[in-house]
Every structure is written in C-alpha cells, then in structure tokens.
Amino acid sequence: MSGLSARTDAEHAARMAKKKVAHDRIVAARAGEKGLVIVHTGKGKGKTTAALGMVVRAIGHGMKVGVVQFVKGAMTTGEAAVFARLPDVEFKPMGEGFTWDTQDRARDIAVAGEAWAEVKRMLADPAYDMVLADELNIVLRYDYLALDDVLEAIAAKPATTHFIATGRNAPDGLIALADLVTEMQLVKHPFREQGIKAQRGVEF
C-alpha cells in the first residue's frame, strides 16, 4: 500500500469515526417510539409497493398486520396470493375498481364505507400492530368518505399502532396529522413513454 493510499484510508477512517459519534449522539437524543401515521402520496409509482414492503417487514418481526384495499379487488394480485399464505396478516381487497370502471357513484360510496368500517375495526383493536389503508387517499379525494371521520379514527388509534395510507392527492388534513409523508414523483413510466400496460409482478 502506498503512503498516499494509507494516508487517505486513515483520514477517511477518522472522518467516519467523527460522523459516527455525531450520529450516535443524535440517535440517543431521539430514542422515543410511537405508532406512526404514514402517508404515501404523489403521482409516481410505488406508493402501495413501499407500503406492502413495510407490511412484510412487520410480519417478519412477528407483528399482527391488517391490510384493507380500497378501489382494488376486482382483479387478482400477487400480493393477495402471498399474504394468503402468511400468518399474522389479515388482507382484505374490498374495492371494485376505479370510479370510471364502475360508473356508479352510489355503489362506490357504499363499497368505500364497507372498507372503511374494516379499517376502523382494525384501528380500534390493540391486537393490530400495523394497519394499511391502501388507496384511502383516492376515496377521500372523491368524497366517498368524510375526512373528519377518518382523521378522528386515526387520532384515536392505540398509541403503538402504525397506520399507513396510500394514494394520490392526500388531503391536507391527513398530511398535517401524519408523522411521515413521502411524495412519489413521476420521472418516467413505461405506460406513458412506451405504451406498455401494467405488468404482473410489477404493478399487480
């Protein structure tokens, strides 16, 4: 090893040691835990995918998880097949498609209400460590649910329960209540750029 390389490695090690001390000090000062309210929104792909990744992670820790899917349910998905085989997860696709598919607003409102009743049941039950309301933001955008009722139920959840909501156009009230908000941005998409339809294992 040359003298220059050895000096560079030593300098790097010294810098990293200082960073570790600073990082450990920050972490030690923020050692609290709570059930987080998490929102994935934005026009980019990956909102549900990221949320389902957290569901898998929670299951891996032996946590009980409830998943209710709004809008989705009219088609078979890979996640439904996987979660049907796993313990500690209650997976309920309760949607019937997007409003332009159903073309029946009254039915859409009724179905959203049924799905929300399941979410509320899970949120009120301290046995659930994590609850995912997939595409909740979409039904809120179309006023299929009362935002005040949704916020009230989330605020009243057990202190250690994590709650995740996904979908475009998250309402300001939900964003304000959340502890963690991620906005997925669209840079490129194969459907828009190349006319490629949704792919098994990628979109569903």
Side-chain angles (χ1 to χ4, degrees):
M1 180 182 294
S2 69
L4 177 59
S5 178
R7 189 165 59 251
T8 301
D9 288 347
E11 290 170 352
H12 173 76
R15 284 197 308 273
M16 294 304 106
K18 288 181 181 178
K19 284 183 179 288
K20 185 178 186 315
V21 169
H23 180 265
D24 289 348
R25 187 181 300 119
I26 292 170
V27 171
R30 293 166 174 80
E33 292 187 8
K34 62 172 286 192
L36 300 176
V37 176
I38 302 166
V39 175
H40 293 171
T41 193
K43 294 182 178 180
K45 174 179 160 44
K47 297 176 285 293
T48 295
T49 303
L52 292 176
M54 283 193 284
V55 168
V56 170
R57 184 176 289 159
I59 293 169
H61 284 290
M63 299 165 71
K64 181 175 176 60
V65 183
V67 178
V68 175
Q69 290 190 307
F70 294 81
V71 181
K72 298 167 182 172
M75 64 184 298
T76 301
T77 63
E79 57 261 33
V82 169
F83 290 129
R85 303 171 191 157
L86 296 179
D88 300 322
V89 58
E90 188 174 356
F91 188 86
K92 293 194 168 187
M94 298 185 68
E96 295 182 347
F98 290 95
T99 186
W100 54 82
D101 293 321
T102 62
Q103 300 178 24
D104 186 341
R105 178 175 171 80
R107 177 63 184 165
D108 290 342
I109 291 172
V111 170
E114 292 168 4
W116 175 242
E118 280 299 296
V119 175
K120 286 181 72 173
R121 177 187 66 79
M122 292 174 178
L123 277 178
D125 185 348
Y128 289 89
D129 300 295
M130 177 181 287
V131 177
L132 165 60
D134 186 35
E135 306 293 7
L136 173 64
N137 297 336
I138 289 179
V139 296
L140 288 173
R141 179 189 182 192
Y142 287 113
D143 296 321
Y144 293 169
L145 298 173
L147 177 59
D148 287 345
D149 182 41
V150 170
L151 297 180
E152 181 180 344
I154 297 170
K157 71 175 179 61
T160 57
T161 301
H162 301 296
F163 174 74
I164 311 167
T166 70
R168 294 186 180 196
N169 303 112
D172 292 340
L174 181 56
I175 290 174
L177 180 64
D179 301 291
L180 172 62
V181 179
T182 299
E183 182 175 6
M184 308 293 188
Q185 294 189 16
L186 176 63
V187 178
K188 292 179 70 175
H189 196 290
F191 180 80
R192 290 175 179 268
E193 304 290 330
Q194 304 172 55
I196 297 173
K197 66 181 182 180
Q199 304 285 299
R200 286 183 301 167
V202 179
E203 273 84 19
F204 64 92

